[in-house]
Amino acid sequence: MVTHAAMPGRKRAGAHARPRSLSPYAVGVPLALGIIYGFYAAFIRRDGGPSTGGQVVLGLVSGAVLAALCFALSRIQRDLRHGLRAVAYGALTACAIGFLVSLTDTSVLRSAGLGLVVGAGVFLATFYLFYSREP
């Protein structure tokens, strides 16, 4: 009779669920951001003088760290609510900008302040974007 309406549907087990595939953008965008960020960090540290091995290492490490953090955030962002997702993007941006400003040998207050201002702007923009587009 009406047993078909009461039958439970098929559910996938968590262990047997197929992992999300990586699109070219999921790898390419963090990689491009990391490369640009690393070059810019090394350029700031160079300060018009000759390039040294330390500057190259600084650029490679800072670019790799930013790329890894961007990739990790892109992988977990769907599991976060829109407010927490906006906080994560704002914090990542604030730390990245604060680090770049600290490479210019300015005060800690200036680098922290500029990082907080830019991070707050990114938080507001991403919060609006995520809040207005989620169902």
Side-chain angles (χ1 to χ4, degrees):
M1 301 226 231
V2 263
T3 57
H4 68 278
M7 294 293 289
R10 286 187 147 182
K11 294 183 181 178
R12 288 186 180 176
H16 300 292
R18 205 171 98 196
R20 288 183 258 173
S21 62
L22 291 176
S23 70
Y25 296 115
V27 176
V29 170
L31 187 64
L33 285 174
I35 290 170
I36 292 168
Y37 188 83
F39 275 132
Y40 194 61
F43 177 76
I44 288 174
R45 200 64 182 147
R46 193 178 118 201
D47 199 27
S51 294
T52 62
Q55 295 162 0
V56 172
V57 170
L58 172 77
L60 288 174
V61 170
S62 60
V65 167
L66 183 77
L69 290 174
C70 287
F71 179 75
L73 183 58
S74 72
R75 295 300 290 171
I76 66 166
Q77 75 175 343
R78 293 174 200 248
D79 300 333
L80 302 174
R81 300 180 126 199
H82 57 269
L84 191 57
R85 191 184 322 173
V87 167
Y89 275 104
L92 180 63
T93 306
C95 292
I97 295 297
F99 177 70
L100 285 179
V101 173
S102 74
L103 291 177
T104 62
D105 293 330
T106 58
S107 70
V108 174
L109 291 176
R110 180 175 179 197
S111 63
L114 191 56
L116 285 174
V117 167
V118 172
V122 169
F123 165 74
L124 291 173
T126 55
F127 183 79
Y128 174 75
L129 180 75
F130 297 143
Y131 186 76
S132 65
R133 299 201 186 234
E134 281 190 3

